[in-house]
Amino acid sequence: GRYLSKHVTVDARHNRTSYSSTKPIQILLLGNSLLRQTFESIGCTYRDHITSVHVQVGGPILTSAKMAERAPNKFRTDELGRLQQLDPSHPQGCHDGLNPHFYEANVTMPTSIDNCNDDVASIVFDDNIEFIYVFRPNLFENQTELLNFAGVDPDRVHTVVVSKRTELQDEVLQMLRRPRYQYWDLHPFRQMQQRDLHRWFGADNPGMVEKPDGHGCMPGVPDDEANLLLYSLLANTDIMFDRRR
């Protein structure tokens, strides 16, 4: 974890003289819930190196039902509540919308901050590198306001990771015209597991309509996705899946 943050930071600042010498560089993950799992995997794997965490508190949790109810109208950034900093030394749950229906009867439900979720969230490692996740920015009227809310600083953004079917507004592309871009389609990871192991290890919690779910078990494929992303940052390479939506 420490090697990752220092190596990527030094490489970025060597090649991009405009980076702040005191603030962490930023890696943006913009897209669907599969990409959210990649973000969460990085946080869990390198949790001992976390120096700062911010999560969304207040506002709607963007469930499929909530999105369908709002369509075709888009969400406004001022509906999102606030970003709250958590104490990394005293882990606090952030599991808005927990439903016992999806847990085995003998499982103790995790505790959570009220009305908390990671639709917008950030994690800083070793005060050197910050990963920022934003769920489906194309659901919002003004994506520039959304990224400002998330704490994005264009002068510190090193890489922007965009998932399939995530469309960024022209104003955002202009705002983030200098970073490197990676375009991810996470479904090939599922296809490879099915090819090699002849089954998909997807989430199979109680109460789910279809099992296994399209989201991989954790630990599992999301950790492979996280490792590939981290390797691409270390090796100074780009991941470019088919960009067709």
Side-chain angles (χ1 to χ4, degrees):
R2 188 174 299 277
Y3 174 77
L4 166 73
S5 62
K6 287 190 174 181
H7 182 96
V8 174
T9 304
V10 169
D11 174 75
R13 289 181 178 144
H14 174 75
N15 292 290
R16 301 277 293 285
T17 56
S18 66
Y19 282 114
S20 165
S21 59
T22 58
K23 294 183 178 181
I25 64 168
Q26 295 180 334
I27 311 297
L28 308 188
L29 285 73
L30 310 177
N32 59 27
S33 53
L34 300 179
L35 194 60
R36 183 205 307 268
Q37 287 189 294
T38 305
F39 170 79
E40 292 173 342
S41 171
I42 294 171
C44 290
T45 302
Y46 297 100
R47 57 187 175 275
D48 292 340
H49 294 271
I50 292 176
T51 49
S52 177
V53 178
H54 286 81
V55 293
Q56 178 188 331
V57 176
I61 180 171
L62 301 180
T63 61
S64 298
K66 181 68 69 174
M67 290 184 285
E69 177 185 307
R70 179 62 67 95
N73 298 319
K74 294 183 178 292
F75 291 90
R76 303 187 315 276
T77 303
D78 60 13
E79 297 179 72
L80 291 180
R82 68 184 188 281
L83 286 184
Q84 178 171 317
Q85 184 170 3
L86 304 184
D87 184 352
S89 64
H90 295 86
Q92 301 163 280
C94 181
H95 314 284
D96 191 13
L98 281 179
N99 189 333
H101 181 63
F102 295 108
Y103 289 81
E104 297 286 357
N106 60 344
V107 171
T108 301
M109 294 288 291
T111 59
S112 175
I113 299 171
D114 290 338
N115 204 20
C116 176
N117 66 78
D118 59 358
D119 284 343
V120 179
S122 67
I123 306 174
V124 178
F125 298 93
D126 297 324
D127 292 322
N128 278 322
I129 185 168
E130 179 179 15
F131 289 81
I132 298 176
Y133 172 75
V134 178
F135 178 64
R136 294 193 179 186
N138 44 295
L139 294 175
F140 287 81
E141 292 178 354
N142 190 319
Q143 295 178 6
T144 303
E145 287 184 356
L146 176 65
L147 296 187
N148 287 333
F149 171 82
V152 173
D153 180 348
D155 289 334
R156 294 192 284 128
V157 176
H158 174 270
T159 299
V160 180
V161 181
V162 184
S163 72
K164 189 175 182 179
R165 289 192 293 273
T166 298
E167 301 294 341
L168 299 180
Q169 295 171 347
D170 290 342
E171 292 81 4
V172 170
L173 295 175
Q174 179 65 20
M175 171 186 176
L176 301 175
R177 64 187 181 279
R178 300 174 57 208
R180 300 167 57 182
Y181 278 79
Q182 297 192 18
Y183 294 91
W184 282 62
D185 179 355
L186 299 171
H187 291 91
F189 290 91
R190 174 175 180 168
Q191 296 166 355
M192 287 186 285
Q193 187 176 86
Q194 290 173 317
R195 179 197 65 195
D196 297 339
L197 302 179
H198 308 293
R199 68 164 292 182
W200 164 242
F201 290 91
D204 59 357
N205 299 57
M208 301 185 75
V209 176
E210 295 185 8
K211 302 179 186 180
D213 187 68
H215 295 81
C217 292
M218 298 180 70
V221 164
D223 303 293
D224 299 328
E225 298 161 356
N227 288 337
L228 180 59
L229 172 59
L230 298 179
Y231 174 79
S232 74
L233 299 175
L234 284 170
N236 203 34
T237 59
D238 294 329
I239 306 299
M240 304 293 285
F241 288 95
D242 189 341
R243 290 184 58 182
R244 289 176 299 177
R245 299 299 188 260

